[in-house]
Amino acid sequence: MDVLTAVLLLVHLTPVSTAKNGVSSKSRKRIMPDPVTEPPVMDPVYEALLYCNIPSVAERSMEGHAPHHFKLVSVHVFIRHGDRYPLYVIPKTKRPEIDCTLLANRKPYHPKLEAFVSHMSKGSGASFESPLHSLPLYPNHALCEMGELTQTGVVQHLQNGQLLRDIYLKKHKLLPNNWSTDQLYLETTGKSRTLQSGLALLYGFLPDFDWKKIHFRHQPSALFCSGNCYCPLRNQYLEKEQRRQYLLRLKNSQLERTYEDMARIVDVPTKQLRAANPIDSMLCHFCHNVSFPCTRNGCIDMEHFKVIKTHQIEDERERREKKLYLGYALLGAHPILNQTVTRMQRAVEGRKEEVFALYSAHDVTLSPVLSALGLMEARFPRFAARLIFELWQDREKPSEHSVRILYNGVDVTFHTSFCQDHHKHSSKPMCPLENLVRFVKRDMFVGLGSSTSTNYYDACHREGF
């Protein structure tokens, strides 16, 4: 048994610790819950396993936890699509043989898998904004197409949906049995993997839903910035962040030697191999326990994988320290956070529409939102990551509304920059809504170091660095 097989089996067979979700920030280095005991030092294989998010034991979560006198008013869910086939091919190697049809006799499995396929086959008349209506509603290729959602990805989001159903519908009755179209807000980018992930979560959440009630909006931008995407200063921050990434890579001689060795194995120039982003394909091999590719010159192996993955983790660490990405994140995340806050404010006014919002998105969507919120210790969004905003009303003081923020089932409310001090002088296990509103409407611009910009347009068009 090779090392990879042993490690993957360990994850499949190791039960999740039920104590993981109540862990305080003082007793853990990181926010994320852990499927196995966290190594004392950074371990690239362990980090990669977390990223794969292989469905095994049903996870416990902290969603929906509140004192009994609090009423759940609305829920806003941001997801990364589930496990997918690579977007890039390692030059001159055979593509990993992953089957993207959905089969009951293949792991990972979910009890609703066959019913999901059956229900999706009836959805051709659903209301999808163009160009979503041209996309397949579930993966169905014997050899996955590039970027296609896998069975693992479908199961991940069926699990997410069922978990949210148990909490928000069965326990908190967020939606009535006769819910209507306008009580849901559904939005996705124009990729099959995001639409299918959204549909899998929705099916787990609302099994056998009425297709006539489903309306998915199309979002052309991975930042979900709608009509507010032009932002010159955000692009300047991104260019400087990309320059930082490039300089960090130049300093890493071990990484360069690894790329050179891999390029020799596949017989292409090092530059061409690096441009093919080999870690994307290697992660697919790793997550699906498929051997790395070999040629007559040798094999790509776990040591290559570990070096590149370690560099990724170092890059994330430096990114947090240098703060260039934070400038990009604040401007990149503002439109979607502003839309969410506006929706919450409408709910506070008593409006009953859009009480459940779902954004089916990408790592490049969630990552800036996490950074903008100040969740600097949050791990990079894994496959099928979920970030949830809950809006609550205090029944004893009906004019008071509060928010909770959860990342992959862990309550991170008091890790956010706008609420990290609040719990020191309040016994409530959540954050006043006005803290979030003030942050989005004002403090996000202050965080950019601007004393003059008081709105998104001015901040985006301010003179640069």
Side-chain angles (χ1 to χ4, degrees), residues 42-45 47-48 90 248-249 252 254-263 270 273-283 292 300-316:
M42 188 279 295
D43 178 354
V45 173
E47 297 288 332
I90 299 176
L248 182 68
R249 198 189 79 214
N252 192 333
Q254 186 185 21
L255 180 69
E256 190 60 29
R257 286 195 302 272
T258 298
Y259 277 131
E260 288 170 359
D261 191 45
M262 290 169 63
T270 306
L273 176 80
R274 194 186 293 111
N277 192 16
I279 191 65
D280 187 58
S281 182
M282 293 170 80
L283 276 164
F292 293 127
I300 292 173
D301 60 30
M302 278 295 287
E303 292 311 309
H304 297 122
F305 178 77
K306 286 178 185 176
V307 170
I308 301 177
K309 187 64 190 164
T310 298
H311 176 74
Q312 277 192 331
I313 297 163
E314 290 296 331
D315 181 63
E316 287 176 42

Side-chain angles (χ1 to χ4, degrees), residues 61-255:
S61 70
M62 294 296 288
E63 280 102 347
H65 284 224
H68 64 88
H69 57 87
F70 277 79
K71 177 189 175 185
L72 186 64
V73 178
S74 68
V75 172
H76 312 261
V77 181
F78 304 79
I79 58 169
R80 184 191 177 189
H81 59 75
D83 178 80
R84 59 155 172 78
Y85 199 68
L87 300 171
Y88 301 87
V89 177
I90 299 176
K92 295 190 178 181
T93 64
K94 193 176 178 184
R95 286 170 51 185
E97 292 189 10
I98 309 293
D99 187 341
C100 274
T101 52
L102 303 179
L103 299 173
N105 61 355
R106 187 199 308 132
K107 289 183 178 180
Y109 175 71
H110 190 278
K112 285 191 165 58
L113 187 67
E114 293 99 324
F116 168 73
V117 174
S118 173
H119 199 64
M120 291 304 106
S121 66
K122 302 168 190 167
S124 56
S127 172
F128 293 155
E129 278 186 1
S130 179
L132 300 178
H133 51 66
S134 65
L135 297 176
L137 303 187
Y138 59 96
N140 191 25
H141 292 97
L143 175 60
C144 299
E145 296 190 338
M146 304 305 285
E148 186 172 11
L149 198 68
T150 65
Q151 176 160 321
T152 301
V154 171
V155 169
Q156 286 165 334
H157 278 304
L158 285 172
Q159 280 191 357
N160 274 340
Q162 186 170 357
L163 184 147
L164 300 187
R165 172 180 175 78
D166 289 344
I167 295 165
Y168 295 137
L169 297 187
K170 292 183 178 178
K171 181 179 177 184
H172 288 290
K173 310 287 190 284
L174 179 67
L175 293 172
N177 291 332
N178 61 341
W179 57 272
S180 60
T181 302
D182 61 6
Q183 289 175 300
L184 301 183
Y185 181 87
L186 310 171
E187 190 169 357
T188 178
T189 59
K191 302 292 185 185
S192 63
R193 61 184 175 274
T194 49
L195 175 62
Q196 292 166 6
S197 292
L199 286 167
L201 186 145
L202 194 63
Y203 189 78
F205 187 62
L206 293 165
D208 302 318
F209 55 73
D210 183 347
W211 279 107
K212 297 189 190 71
K213 295 182 178 182
I214 300 303
H215 177 60
F216 260 98
R217 292 165 175 81
H218 171 241
Q219 174 52 247
S221 167
L223 287 175
F224 282 69
C225 46
S226 302
N228 294 303
C229 292
Y230 181 62
C231 185
L233 187 60
R234 182 193 71 219
N235 295 340
Q236 287 182 40
Y237 275 115
L238 182 58
E239 286 166 11
K240 287 191 177 289
E241 164 62 15
Q242 289 169 338
R243 175 74 178 163
R244 179 203 63 73
Q245 290 177 352
Y246 172 71
L247 293 173
L248 182 68
R249 198 189 79 214
L250 284 186
K251 288 191 290 188
N252 192 333
S253 57
Q254 186 185 21
L255 180 69

Side-chain angles (χ1 to χ4, degrees), residues 78 185 187-189 217-232 234-235 328-340 343 359-362 364-366 368-369 444 456-457 460:
F78 304 79
Y185 181 87
E187 190 169 357
T188 178
T189 59
R217 292 165 175 81
H218 171 241
Q219 174 52 247
S221 167
L223 287 175
F224 282 69
C225 46
S226 302
N228 294 303
C229 292
Y230 181 62
C231 185
R234 182 193 71 219
N235 295 340
Y328 167 78
L330 287 165
L331 290 168
H334 185 269
I336 195 171
L337 288 175
N338 191 48
Q339 188 183 130
T340 300
R343 192 170 286 121
Y359 297 92
S360 189
H362 304 265
V364 292
T365 317
L366 266 66
V369 174
M444 287 182 82
Y456 177 69
Y457 181 88
C460 282

Side-chain angles (χ1 to χ4, degrees), residues 400 402 414 419 421-432:
E400 289 190 9
S402 302
F414 297 126
C419 217
D421 294 328
H422 178 73
H423 67 300
K424 293 174 184 174
H425 50 80
S426 172
S427 59
K428 288 183 180 176
M430 48 188 83
C431 190

Side-chain angles (χ1 to χ4, degrees), residues 318-339:
E318 187 184 90
R319 185 184 78 182
R320 288 193 292 267
E321 291 169 359
K322 291 287 176 73
K323 301 289 174 69
L324 291 168
Y325 185 79
L326 179 60
Y328 167 78
L330 287 165
L331 290 168
H334 185 269
I336 195 171
L337 288 175
N338 191 48
Q339 188 183 130

